[in-house]
Amino acid sequence: MDANYMPFHPSPRKPAYAPPPGAVDAHCHVFGPGDVFPYAPERKYTPCDAPKEKLFALRDFLGFERNVIVQATCHGKDNRALVDALRASNGLARGVASVGPSVSDAELHDMHEAGVRGVRFNFVKRLVDATPKEIYLGIADRIAPLGWHIVVYFEAPDLEGLIPFLRQLPTTIVVDHMGRPDIAKGVDHPDFQRFVDLMADNPNVWSKVSCPERLSVDGPATNYADVVPFARRLVDRFTDRVLWGTDWPHPNMTTHMPDDGALVDVIPHIATDAAKQKALLVDNPMRLYWS
């Protein structure tokens, strides 16, 4: 573990909000354990181990029934820890892998059998080295016949330049963390409106309304209230194309380590009635990952 890496919260509180039956934590990770699943040589950070047993215990404690586990950059394109967690989940987890152009059809089919249903394209420069868009388009063509979708991670200033590329993708697109808007600019700023317009113009684009702990200026003292208007706008307008996740074990947090119970208690503020909560936590992830 890097000297400045912040481990996940050791004892989150039980949330006051009870998720509906069948709720899915649709964005989380597994790390290692490193002596079994080594971290990638090209990684930009070395985390603490966060194995599948810890993730599944947290799932149960928070009141969720299923997980969507997203391959993290610290494991690179070695998806063994992800696949191991999926196979151990008894069908209660699906996965999003990271693959390169050399991945074989046999490897893709093996991952599909384990529960992988998407690939992640990461454009956050501090986390990964740049990949030519032509390589990503080639991967998209490979995974489309499997019915997989593409998860895209970028930061708000990069969206305008990515839009032509996103329009070329042949699958459903899921954007991580609302495209990481600058919360200080306010919900009506043109940067966030560009993302809203992207979703409005492209019915194949979904969004995770997750990670208030990463986006908030005010922080945990207000339980990330400054992020709520952004997420609520997406949930209200695109109720059938939003997902939510904890982002456990919260890699690369620098300001504080969030309490996962407190994160769950943000949900009723962004999805303000039972129908929206069921869409966000049950219907949408089940349709995308288990149908």
Coordinates of all heavy atoms in Angstrom, one line a residue, residues 84-160:
D84 N -12.7 -13.9 -10.2 CA -12.8 -14.7 -9.0 C -13.9 -14.3 -8.1 O -14.7 -15.1 -7.6 CB -11.5 -14.6 -8.2 CG -11.5 -15.3 -6.9 OD1 -11.5 -16.6 -6.9 OD2 -11.6 -14.6 -5.9
A85 N -14.1 -13.0 -8.0 CA -15.2 -12.5 -7.1 C -16.6 -12.8 -7.8 O -17.5 -13.2 -7.1 CB -15.1 -11.0 -6.9
L86 N -16.7 -12.7 -9.1 CA -17.9 -13.0 -9.8 C -18.3 -14.4 -9.6 O -19.4 -14.8 -9.3 CB -17.8 -12.6 -11.2 CG -17.6 -11.2 -11.6 CD1 -17.5 -11.0 -13.1 CD2 -18.6 -10.3 -11.0
R87 N -17.3 -15.3 -9.7 CA -17.6 -16.8 -9.6 C -18.0 -17.1 -8.2 O -18.7 -18.1 -8.0 CB -16.4 -17.6 -10.1 CG -16.1 -17.4 -11.6 CD -15.1 -18.5 -12.1 NE -14.7 -18.3 -13.5 CZ -15.4 -18.6 -14.5 NH1 -16.6 -19.1 -14.4 NH2 -15.0 -18.4 -15.8
A88 N -17.5 -16.4 -7.2 CA -17.8 -16.7 -5.8 C -19.1 -16.1 -5.3 O -19.5 -16.4 -4.2 CB -16.6 -16.1 -4.9
S89 N -19.7 -15.3 -6.2 CA -20.9 -14.5 -5.8 C -22.2 -15.3 -5.9 O -23.3 -14.8 -5.5 CB -21.0 -13.2 -6.6 OG -21.5 -13.5 -7.9
N90 N -22.2 -16.5 -6.4 CA -23.4 -17.3 -6.6 C -24.4 -16.5 -7.5 O -25.6 -16.6 -7.2 CB -24.0 -17.7 -5.3 CG -23.1 -18.6 -4.5 OD1 -22.5 -19.6 -5.1 ND2 -22.9 -18.3 -3.2
G91 N -24.0 -15.8 -8.5 CA -24.8 -15.1 -9.4 C -25.3 -13.8 -8.9 O -26.1 -13.1 -9.6
L92 N -24.8 -13.3 -7.7 CA -25.3 -12.1 -7.2 C -24.3 -10.9 -7.5 O -24.5 -9.8 -7.0 CB -25.3 -12.2 -5.6 CG -26.4 -13.2 -5.1 CD1 -26.4 -13.2 -3.6 CD2 -27.8 -12.8 -5.7
A93 N -23.4 -11.1 -8.4 CA -22.5 -10.1 -8.9 C -22.3 -10.2 -10.4 O -22.3 -11.2 -11.0 CB -21.2 -10.1 -8.2
R94 N -22.2 -9.0 -11.0 CA -21.8 -8.9 -12.4 C -20.6 -8.0 -12.5 O -20.2 -7.4 -11.5 CB -23.0 -8.3 -13.3 CG -24.2 -9.2 -13.4 CD -23.9 -10.3 -14.3 NE -25.1 -11.1 -14.7 CZ -25.4 -12.3 -14.2 NH1 -24.6 -12.8 -13.3 NH2 -26.4 -12.9 -14.6
G95 N -19.9 -8.0 -13.6 CA -18.6 -7.3 -13.7 C -18.5 -6.5 -14.9 O -19.1 -6.7 -15.9
V96 N -17.6 -5.5 -14.8 CA -17.1 -4.7 -15.9 C -15.6 -4.8 -16.0 O -14.9 -4.5 -15.0 CB -17.5 -3.2 -15.7 CG1 -16.9 -2.3 -16.8 CG2 -19.0 -3.0 -15.6
A97 N -15.1 -5.3 -17.1 CA -13.7 -5.7 -17.2 C -12.9 -4.6 -17.9 O -13.5 -3.6 -18.4 CB -13.6 -7.0 -18.0
S98 N -11.6 -4.7 -17.9 CA -10.7 -3.8 -18.7 C -9.9 -4.8 -19.6 O -9.3 -5.7 -19.1 CB -9.8 -3.0 -17.8 OG -8.9 -2.2 -18.5
V99 N -10.0 -4.5 -20.9 CA -9.3 -5.4 -21.8 C -8.6 -4.6 -22.8 O -8.8 -3.4 -23.1 CB -10.3 -6.4 -22.5 CG1 -11.1 -7.2 -21.5 CG2 -11.3 -5.6 -23.5
G100 N -7.6 -5.3 -23.5 CA -6.8 -4.7 -24.5 C -7.2 -5.3 -25.9 O -7.9 -6.3 -25.9
P101 N -6.6 -4.8 -26.9 CA -6.9 -5.3 -28.3 C -6.5 -6.8 -28.5 O -7.0 -7.4 -29.4 CB -6.2 -4.4 -29.2 CG -5.1 -3.8 -28.4 CD -5.6 -3.7 -27.0
S102 N -5.6 -7.3 -27.7 CA -5.1 -8.6 -27.8 C -5.9 -9.7 -27.1 O -5.7 -10.9 -27.2 CB -3.6 -8.7 -27.3 OG -3.6 -8.5 -25.9
V103 N -7.0 -9.2 -26.4 CA -7.8 -10.2 -25.7 C -8.4 -11.2 -26.8 O -8.9 -10.8 -27.8 CB -8.9 -9.5 -24.9 CG1 -9.9 -8.8 -25.8 CG2 -9.7 -10.5 -24.0
S104 N -8.5 -12.4 -26.4 CA -9.0 -13.4 -27.4 C -10.5 -13.6 -27.2 O -11.1 -13.2 -26.2 CB -8.3 -14.8 -27.1 OG -8.7 -15.3 -25.9
D105 N -11.1 -14.1 -28.2 CA -12.5 -14.4 -28.2 C -12.8 -15.4 -27.0 O -13.8 -15.3 -26.3 CB -13.1 -15.0 -29.5 CG -13.1 -13.9 -30.6 OD1 -13.1 -12.7 -30.2 OD2 -13.2 -14.3 -31.8
A106 N -11.9 -16.4 -26.8 CA -12.1 -17.3 -25.8 C -12.1 -16.7 -24.4 O -12.9 -17.0 -23.5 CB -11.0 -18.4 -25.8
E107 N -11.2 -15.7 -24.2 CA -11.1 -15.0 -23.0 C -12.4 -14.2 -22.7 O -13.0 -14.1 -21.6 CB -9.9 -14.1 -22.9 CG -8.6 -14.8 -22.8 CD -7.4 -13.9 -23.0 OE1 -7.4 -13.0 -23.9 OE2 -6.5 -14.0 -22.2
L108 N -12.9 -13.5 -23.8 CA -14.2 -12.8 -23.7 C -15.3 -13.7 -23.3 O -16.1 -13.3 -22.4 CB -14.5 -12.0 -25.0 CG -13.5 -10.9 -25.3 CD1 -13.9 -10.3 -26.7 CD2 -13.6 -9.8 -24.3
H109 N -15.4 -14.8 -23.9 CA -16.5 -15.7 -23.6 C -16.4 -16.3 -22.2 O -17.4 -16.5 -21.5 CB -16.6 -16.9 -24.6 CG -17.2 -16.4 -25.9 ND1 -18.5 -16.2 -26.1 CD2 -16.6 -16.1 -27.1 CE1 -18.8 -15.8 -27.3 NE2 -17.6 -15.7 -28.0
D110 N -15.1 -16.6 -21.7 CA -14.9 -17.0 -20.4 C -15.4 -16.0 -19.4 O -16.0 -16.3 -18.4 CB -13.5 -17.4 -20.1 CG -13.1 -18.7 -20.8 OD1 -14.0 -19.5 -21.2 OD2 -11.9 -19.0 -20.9
M111 N -15.1 -14.7 -19.6 CA -15.5 -13.6 -18.8 C -17.0 -13.5 -18.8 O -17.6 -13.2 -17.7 CB -14.8 -12.3 -19.1 CG -13.3 -12.3 -18.7 SD -12.6 -10.6 -18.9 CE -12.3 -10.6 -20.7
H112 N -17.6 -13.6 -19.9 CA -19.0 -13.5 -20.0 C -19.7 -14.6 -19.2 O -20.6 -14.3 -18.4 CB -19.5 -13.7 -21.5 CG -21.0 -13.5 -21.7 ND1 -21.5 -12.2 -21.8 CD2 -22.0 -14.4 -21.7 CE1 -22.8 -12.3 -22.0 NE2 -23.1 -13.6 -21.9
E113 N -19.2 -15.8 -19.3 CA -19.7 -16.9 -18.5 C -19.6 -16.7 -17.0 O -20.5 -17.0 -16.2 CB -19.0 -18.2 -18.9 CG -19.6 -19.5 -18.3 CD -19.1 -19.8 -16.9 OE1 -18.0 -19.4 -16.5 OE2 -19.9 -20.4 -16.1
A114 N -18.5 -16.0 -16.6 CA -18.3 -15.6 -15.2 C -19.3 -14.5 -14.7 O -19.5 -14.4 -13.5 CB -16.9 -15.2 -14.9
G115 N -19.8 -13.7 -15.6 CA -20.7 -12.6 -15.3 C -20.3 -11.2 -15.7 O -20.9 -10.3 -15.3
V116 N -19.2 -11.1 -16.5 CA -18.8 -9.8 -17.0 C -19.9 -9.4 -18.1 O -20.3 -10.2 -18.9 CB -17.4 -9.9 -17.7 CG1 -17.1 -8.6 -18.4 CG2 -16.4 -10.1 -16.6
R117 N -20.3 -8.1 -18.0 CA -21.3 -7.6 -18.9 C -20.9 -6.3 -19.6 O -21.7 -5.6 -20.2 CB -22.6 -7.5 -18.2 CG -23.3 -8.8 -17.8 CD -23.6 -9.7 -19.0 NE -24.3 -10.9 -18.6 CZ -23.6 -12.1 -18.4 NH1 -22.3 -12.1 -18.5 NH2 -24.3 -13.2 -18.0
G118 N -19.6 -5.9 -19.4 CA -19.2 -4.6 -20.0 C -17.7 -4.5 -19.9 O -17.0 -5.3 -19.2
V119 N -17.2 -3.5 -20.6 CA -15.8 -3.1 -20.5 C -15.7 -1.6 -20.1 O -16.7 -0.8 -20.4 CB -15.0 -3.3 -21.8 CG1 -14.9 -4.8 -22.1 CG2 -15.6 -2.5 -22.9
R120 N -14.6 -1.2 -19.5 CA -14.4 0.2 -19.1 C -13.3 0.8 -19.9 O -12.3 0.3 -20.0 CB -14.1 0.2 -17.6 CG -14.1 1.6 -16.9 CD -13.6 1.5 -15.5 NE -14.1 2.6 -14.7 CZ -13.6 3.0 -13.5 NH1 -12.5 2.4 -13.1 NH2 -14.1 4.0 -12.8
F121 N -13.7 2.0 -20.4 CA -12.7 2.9 -21.1 C -12.4 4.1 -20.2 O -13.3 4.9 -19.8 CB -13.2 3.4 -22.4 CG -13.5 2.3 -23.4 CD1 -14.3 2.6 -24.6 CD2 -13.0 1.0 -23.3 CE1 -14.5 1.6 -25.5 CE2 -13.2 0.1 -24.2 CZ -14.0 0.4 -25.4
N122 N -11.2 4.2 -19.7 CA -10.8 5.2 -18.8 C -10.0 6.3 -19.5 O -9.0 6.1 -20.1 CB -9.9 4.6 -17.7 CG -9.8 5.4 -16.4 OD1 -9.7 6.7 -16.5 ND2 -9.8 4.8 -15.3
F123 N -10.5 7.6 -19.3 CA -9.8 8.7 -19.9 C -9.3 9.7 -18.9 O -8.9 10.8 -19.2 CB -10.8 9.5 -20.8 CG -11.3 8.7 -22.0 CD1 -12.4 7.9 -22.0 CD2 -10.5 8.7 -23.2 CE1 -12.8 7.2 -23.1 CE2 -10.9 8.0 -24.3 CZ -12.0 7.2 -24.3
V124 N -9.2 9.3 -17.6 CA -8.7 10.1 -16.6 C -7.2 10.0 -16.5 O -6.7 9.0 -16.2 CB -9.3 9.7 -15.2 CG1 -8.8 10.6 -14.1 CG2 -10.9 9.8 -15.3
K125 N -6.6 11.1 -17.0 CA -5.1 11.0 -17.3 C -4.3 10.7 -16.1 O -3.2 10.1 -16.2 CB -4.7 12.4 -17.9 CG -5.4 12.7 -19.2 CD -5.0 14.0 -19.8 CE -5.8 14.4 -21.0 NZ -7.2 14.6 -20.8
R126 N -4.7 11.1 -14.9 CA -3.9 10.8 -13.7 C -3.9 9.4 -13.3 O -3.2 8.9 -12.4 CB -4.3 11.7 -12.5 CG -5.8 11.5 -12.2 CD -6.3 12.6 -11.2 NE -7.7 12.7 -11.1 CZ -8.5 11.8 -10.6 NH1 -8.0 10.7 -10.0 NH2 -9.8 11.9 -10.6
L127 N -4.9 8.6 -13.9 CA -5.0 7.2 -13.5 C -4.5 6.2 -14.5 O -4.1 5.1 -14.2 CB -6.5 6.9 -13.3 CG -7.2 7.5 -12.1 CD1 -8.7 7.2 -12.1 CD2 -6.5 7.2 -10.8
V128 N -4.5 6.6 -15.8 CA -4.0 5.7 -16.9 C -3.3 6.5 -17.9 O -3.5 7.7 -18.1 CB -5.3 5.0 -17.5 CG1 -5.9 4.0 -16.6 CG2 -6.3 6.0 -18.1
D129 N -2.5 5.8 -18.7 CA -1.8 6.3 -19.8 C -2.9 6.4 -21.0 O -3.8 5.5 -21.0 CB -0.6 5.5 -20.3 CG 0.5 5.5 -19.2 OD1 0.6 6.6 -18.5 OD2 1.2 4.5 -19.0
A130 N -2.7 7.3 -21.9 CA -3.6 7.5 -23.0 C -3.7 6.3 -23.9 O -2.6 5.7 -24.2 CB -3.3 8.7 -23.8
T131 N -4.9 5.9 -24.3 CA -5.1 4.8 -25.3 C -5.7 5.4 -26.5 O -6.7 6.2 -26.4 CB -6.0 3.8 -24.7 OG1 -5.4 3.2 -23.6 CG2 -6.3 2.7 -25.7
P132 N -5.2 5.2 -27.7 CA -5.8 5.7 -28.9 C -7.2 5.3 -29.1 O -7.6 4.1 -28.8 CB -4.9 5.1 -30.0 CG -3.6 4.8 -29.4 CD -3.9 4.4 -28.0
K133 N -8.0 6.2 -29.5 CA -9.5 5.9 -29.6 C -9.7 4.8 -30.6 O -10.8 4.1 -30.5 CB -10.2 7.2 -30.0 CG -10.2 8.2 -28.8 CD -11.0 9.4 -29.2 CE -11.0 10.5 -28.0 NZ -9.7 11.0 -27.7
E134 N -8.9 4.6 -31.6 CA -9.1 3.5 -32.6 C -9.0 2.2 -31.9 O -9.7 1.2 -32.3 CB -8.0 3.6 -33.7 CG -8.1 4.8 -34.6 CD -7.6 6.1 -33.9 OE1 -6.9 6.0 -32.9 OE2 -8.0 7.2 -34.4
I135 N -8.2 2.1 -30.9 CA -8.1 0.8 -30.1 C -9.4 0.6 -29.4 O -10.0 -0.6 -29.4 CB -6.9 0.8 -29.2 CG1 -5.6 0.7 -30.0 CG2 -7.0 -0.3 -28.2 CD1 -4.3 0.7 -29.2
Y136 N -9.9 1.6 -28.7 CA -11.2 1.5 -28.0 C -12.3 1.1 -29.0 O -13.2 0.3 -28.7 CB -11.5 2.8 -27.3 CG -10.8 3.0 -26.0 CD1 -10.4 4.3 -25.6 CD2 -10.5 2.0 -25.1 CE1 -9.7 4.5 -24.4 CE2 -9.9 2.2 -23.9 CZ -9.5 3.5 -23.6 OH -8.9 3.7 -22.4
L137 N -12.4 1.7 -30.2 CA -13.4 1.4 -31.1 C -13.3 -0.1 -31.6 O -14.3 -0.7 -31.8 CB -13.3 2.3 -32.3 CG -13.7 3.8 -32.0 CD1 -13.4 4.7 -33.2 CD2 -15.2 3.9 -31.7
G138 N -12.1 -0.6 -31.7 CA -11.9 -2.0 -32.1 C -12.4 -2.9 -31.0 O -13.1 -3.9 -31.3
I139 N -12.2 -2.5 -29.7 CA -12.7 -3.3 -28.6 C -14.2 -3.3 -28.6 O -14.9 -4.3 -28.4 CB -12.1 -2.8 -27.3 CG1 -10.6 -3.1 -27.3 CG2 -12.8 -3.5 -26.1 CD1 -9.8 -2.5 -26.1
A140 N -14.8 -2.1 -28.8 CA -16.2 -2.0 -28.8 C -16.9 -2.9 -29.8 O -17.9 -3.5 -29.6 CB -16.6 -0.5 -29.1
D141 N -16.3 -3.0 -31.0 CA -16.8 -3.9 -32.0 C -16.7 -5.3 -31.6 O -17.6 -6.2 -32.0 CB -16.1 -3.7 -33.4 CG -16.4 -2.4 -34.0 OD1 -17.5 -1.8 -33.7 OD2 -15.6 -1.9 -34.9
R142 N -15.7 -5.7 -30.8 CA -15.5 -7.1 -30.4 C -16.5 -7.4 -29.3 O -17.0 -8.6 -29.3 CB -14.1 -7.2 -29.8 CG -13.0 -7.0 -30.7 CD -12.6 -8.2 -31.5 NE -12.4 -9.4 -30.7 CZ -11.2 -9.6 -30.0 NH1 -10.2 -8.8 -29.9 NH2 -11.1 -10.8 -29.3
I143 N -16.9 -6.5 -28.4 CA -17.7 -6.9 -27.3 C -19.2 -6.7 -27.6 O -20.1 -7.2 -26.9 CB -17.3 -6.1 -26.0 CG1 -17.4 -4.6 -26.2 CG2 -15.9 -6.5 -25.6 CD1 -18.7 -4.0 -25.6
A144 N -19.5 -5.9 -28.6 CA -20.9 -5.6 -29.0 C -21.7 -6.9 -29.2 O -22.9 -7.0 -28.7 CB -21.0 -4.7 -30.1
P145 N -21.2 -7.9 -29.9 CA -22.0 -9.1 -30.2 C -22.3 -9.9 -28.9 O -23.3 -10.7 -28.9 CB -21.1 -10.0 -31.1 CG -20.2 -9.0 -31.8 CD -19.9 -7.9 -30.7
L146 N -21.6 -9.7 -27.8 CA -21.9 -10.3 -26.6 C -23.0 -9.6 -25.8 O -23.5 -10.1 -24.8 CB -20.6 -10.3 -25.7 CG -19.5 -11.2 -26.1 CD1 -18.2 -10.9 -25.4 CD2 -19.8 -12.7 -26.0
G147 N -23.4 -8.5 -26.3 CA -24.5 -7.7 -25.6 C -23.9 -6.9 -24.5 O -24.7 -6.4 -23.6
W148 N -22.6 -6.7 -24.4 CA -22.0 -6.0 -23.3 C -22.1 -4.5 -23.6 O -22.4 -4.0 -24.8 CB -20.5 -6.3 -23.3 CG -20.1 -7.6 -22.8 CD1 -21.0 -8.7 -22.6 CD2 -18.8 -8.1 -22.5 NE1 -20.3 -9.8 -22.1 CE2 -18.9 -9.4 -22.1 CE3 -17.5 -7.5 -22.5 CZ2 -17.8 -10.2 -21.7 CZ3 -16.4 -8.3 -22.1 CH2 -16.6 -9.6 -21.7
H149 N -22.0 -3.7 -22.6 CA -22.0 -2.2 -22.7 C -20.6 -1.7 -22.4 O -19.7 -2.4 -22.0 CB -23.0 -1.6 -21.8 CG -22.8 -1.8 -20.4 ND1 -23.2 -3.0 -19.7 CD2 -22.2 -1.1 -19.4 CE1 -22.8 -2.9 -18.4 NE2 -22.2 -1.8 -18.2
I150 N -20.5 -0.4 -22.5 CA -19.2 0.3 -22.3 C -19.4 1.3 -21.2 O -20.2 2.2 -21.2 CB -18.7 1.0 -23.6 CG1 -18.3 -0.1 -24.6 CG2 -17.5 1.9 -23.3 CD1 -18.1 0.5 -26.0
V151 N -18.5 1.2 -20.1 CA -18.5 2.2 -19.1 C -17.3 3.2 -19.4 O -16.2 2.8 -19.7 CB -18.2 1.5 -17.7 CG1 -18.0 2.6 -16.6 CG2 -19.4 0.6 -17.4
V152 N -17.6 4.5 -19.3 CA -16.7 5.5 -19.7 C -16.4 6.4 -18.5 O -17.4 6.9 -17.9 CB -17.2 6.3 -20.9 CG1 -16.2 7.4 -21.3 CG2 -17.5 5.4 -22.1
Y153 N -15.1 6.6 -18.2 CA -14.7 7.4 -17.1 C -13.9 8.6 -17.6 O -12.9 8.4 -18.2 CB -13.9 6.6 -16.1 CG -13.7 7.3 -14.7 CD1 -14.5 8.3 -14.2 CD2 -12.6 6.9 -13.9 CE1 -14.3 8.9 -13.0 CE2 -12.4 7.5 -12.7 CZ -13.2 8.4 -12.2 OH -13.0 9.0 -11.0
F154 N -14.4 9.8 -17.4 CA -13.7 11.0 -17.8 C -14.1 12.1 -16.8 O -14.9 12.0 -16.0 CB -14.1 11.4 -19.2 CG -15.6 11.6 -19.4 CD1 -16.2 12.8 -19.1 CD2 -16.4 10.6 -19.9 CE1 -17.6 13.0 -19.2 CE2 -17.8 10.8 -20.1 CZ -18.4 12.0 -19.8
E155 N -13.4 13.2 -17.0 CA -13.6 14.4 -16.2 C -14.3 15.5 -17.0 O -14.1 15.6 -18.2 CB -12.4 14.9 -15.5 CG -11.8 13.8 -14.6 CD -10.5 14.3 -13.8 OE1 -9.6 14.7 -14.5 OE2 -10.5 14.2 -12.6
A156 N -15.1 16.3 -16.4 CA -16.0 17.3 -17.1 C -15.3 18.1 -18.2 O -15.8 18.3 -19.3 CB -16.7 18.2 -16.1
P157 N -14.1 18.6 -18.0 CA -13.4 19.4 -19.0 C -13.1 18.7 -20.3 O -12.9 19.3 -21.3 CB -12.1 19.9 -18.3 CG -12.4 19.8 -16.9 CD -13.3 18.7 -16.7
D158 N -13.1 17.3 -20.2 CA -12.8 16.5 -21.4 C -14.0 16.1 -22.2 O -13.8 15.5 -23.3 CB -12.0 15.3 -20.9 CG -10.7 15.6 -20.3 OD1 -10.0 16.6 -20.7 OD2 -10.3 15.0 -19.3
L159 N -15.2 16.3 -21.7 CA -16.4 15.8 -22.3 C -16.6 16.3 -23.7 O -16.8 15.6 -24.7 CB -17.6 16.1 -21.5 CG -19.0 15.7 -22.2 CD1 -19.0 14.3 -22.6 CD2 -20.1 16.1 -21.3
E160 N -16.4 17.6 -23.9 CA -16.7 18.2 -25.2 C -15.8 17.5 -26.3 O -16.3 17.2 -27.4 CB -16.4 19.7 -25.2 CG -16.8 20.4 -26.5 CD -16.7 21.9 -26.4 OE1 -16.1 22.4 -25.4 OE2 -17.3 22.6 -27.2

